[in-house]
Amino acid sequence: AQSVTQPDIHITVSEGASLELRCNYSYGATPYLFWYVQSPGQGLQLLLKYFSGDTLVQGIKGFEAEFKRSQSSFNLRKPSVHWSDAAEYFCAGGNDYKLSFGAGTTVTVRA
Amino acid sequence: SQTIHQWPATLVQPVGSPLSLECTVEGTSNPNLYWYRQAAGRGLQLLFYSVGIGQISSEVPQNLSASRPQDRQFILSSKKLLLSDSGFYLCAWSIQGFNEQYFGPGTRLTVT
């Protein structure tokens, strides 16, 4: 079955430290891949997307993600985390007009 | 630019009561529309999607139904709510032929 998996349920990181969130996909062909962020009680905001081409994609808020076909991964990174990055992050993928979402990773930022 | 609205923002309803949540999109035509539910501490579950007026596809058999009476309006309904219907309901839209989805602010539903 086509799916997206986020292995980490919760990550705690110090402010100013780097952050990496993992995402693995299982699709017959390379899917379109996305990262979304959700603040408490809010909708989801699109951070970045990968369709094809350059495997390192830049997004908003200083985030980037790298597509690795050999590892079926699309990990999200940020070099230096700010307190405002505390939120839940969702990886999503799809080949048609429907998306499959991972279970999400909650990021806590400590001072 | 495109905007998506959902209302109400929060709702508390007793078990057995009806439900109607509305979603509208501005600034685009003939979008794909989606309803998701997000239970506490869990990911997103796709409930319904629509590729055009009157065209509804259900992903999960349940107590809910959806309708699309106008091009940019998507309604989620129930005749009798269950406790298990509590959750955060999100509407989203995408351009026809593209995966990229944009989400509304959500409706927090509590069934008591």
Side-chain angles (χ1 to χ4, degrees):
Chain A
Q2 299 178 332
S3 66
V4 170
T5 304
Q6 294 179 247
D8 305 304
I9 297 174
H10 190 198
I11 286 181
T12 298
V13 60
S14 297
E15 192 169 14
S18 64
L19 173 69
E20 181 167 11
L21 303 182
R22 296 184 292 164
C23 173
N24 296 103
Y25 66 89
S26 176
Y27 284 82
T30 299
Y32 299 126
L33 294 164
F34 306 87
W35 275 99
Y36 287 86
V37 62
Q38 184 182 32
S39 297
Q42 304 294 315
L44 276 70
Q45 181 182 22
L46 181 65
L47 284 175
L48 47 79
K49 57 192 176 188
Y50 173 76
F51 290 165
S52 64
D54 193 347
T55 57
L56 185 63
V57 294
Q58 302 296 320
I60 63 171
K61 303 185 178 187
F63 284 93
E64 66 179 25
E66 186 171 13
F67 172 72
K68 292 186 176 180
R69 186 189 305 276
S70 62
Q71 298 178 18
S72 297
S73 69
F74 187 57
N75 294 349
L76 182 71
R77 299 194 294 253
K78 185 168 184 176
S80 178
V81 169
H82 186 261
W83 64 266
S84 60
D85 294 322
E88 190 160 18
Y89 293 80
F90 292 94
C91 183
N95 289 118
D96 51 24
Y97 45 81
K98 293 190 292 182
L99 292 180
S100 294
F101 284 82
T105 299
T106 299
V107 173
T108 298
V109 181
R110 60 186 174 212
Chain B
S1 64
Q2 299 86 5
T3 308
I4 179 168
H5 302 279
Q6 285 187 246
W7 64 89
T10 60
L11 191 60
V12 179
Q13 292 283 94
V15 168
S17 63
L19 173 73
S20 181
L21 303 181
E22 189 165 343
C23 170
T24 59
V25 181
E26 297 177 354
T28 187
S29 296
N30 197 28
N32 289 336
L33 296 172
Y34 308 83
W35 277 113
Y36 290 89
R37 177 169 57 204
Q38 187 176 28
R42 301 176 66 177
L44 278 74
Q45 179 186 35
L46 179 62
L47 302 176
F48 301 94
Y49 67 93
S50 171
V51 298
I53 296 175
Q55 300 179 61
I56 309 295
S57 296
S58 174
E59 289 293 295
V60 181
Q62 61 210 322
N63 187 41
L64 302 169
S65 62
S67 61
R68 185 171 177 173
Q70 301 181 43
D71 181 43
R72 290 170 288 178
Q73 184 185 30
F74 205 24
I75 297 172
L76 183 69
S77 304
S78 174
K79 293 183 179 179
K80 290 185 178 182
L81 283 169
L82 305 172
L83 286 174
S84 58
D85 291 323
S86 293
F88 193 52
Y89 288 82
L90 290 159
C91 181
W93 72 275
S94 69
I95 297 173
Q96 290 276 354
F98 289 85
N99 292 85
E100 195 170 328
Q101 293 182 20
Y102 300 93
F103 285 80
T107 295
R108 172 74 58 192
L109 171 66
T110 303
V111 183
T112 61

